[in-house]
Amino acid sequence: MQLFMDTANVEEIRRMYEMGFVSGVTTNPSLVAREKQDYTDILRQITAIVEGPISAEVLKEDAPGMVEEARKLAAIHPNIVIKIPLTAEGLKAIHQLKTENIATNATLIFSAAQALLAARAGARFVSPFLGRVDDMSNESLSVLADIVDVFALHDLNCQIIAASIRSPWQVVEAARIGADIATVPTKILEQMIHHPLTDIGLERFRKDWEEAQKSL
Ligand code: G3P
């Protein structure tokens, strides 16, 4: 399973990208709003750092408007993938963009039925929102497992991005179930990196070494 960063913060992306595990980035209007910068500028900066798919989301809700916005975003860089919400208008836009060779990521997906529609309409990625399913007291991992099973059974040419990730455990479960990608907020990536036993072990190695140096 690949790891994408779910953020629009360029400094966070720069810092994490150096560690070598980041294969792409996803953004959304809420994440961009936090940065208080022009969206196009942010996307240009991200594409200069990351070699891999960078998802940029449309704001219009009608198909012609989404397609028009998508064309402008796609012109920023060949790695830009257009995030389109899974609505009837969104499916029309995904279908049209496929004919123009513009890659799409169907977003705000909460069921295997929605994921199947997006894949059939021509989306390159689908993004089931795990955390938000759990927030509604439903079980997100069974939704993800259904999507993985259906896509594999019918050999659908569409990658599954586990999104709305809330914990390191959810990342591991998404990998176990067979998601192609998990898009992970920076805070959760930090939690994945750090472990208290690693810190304790490092401290013990340092102390043992320093003690041994004194008796040389
Ligand atoms: O990638 C989608 C993600 O940004 C949504 O996450 O935490 O707002 O549900 P969240």
Side-chain angles (χ1 to χ4, degrees), residues 6 26 28 31 83 107 129 132 163-166 183:
D6 195 23
T26 55
N28 67 38
L31 293 171
K83 250 178 152 180
T107 189
F129 274 31
R132 292 193 200 182
S164 184
I165 294 283
R166 302 281 163 80
T183 189

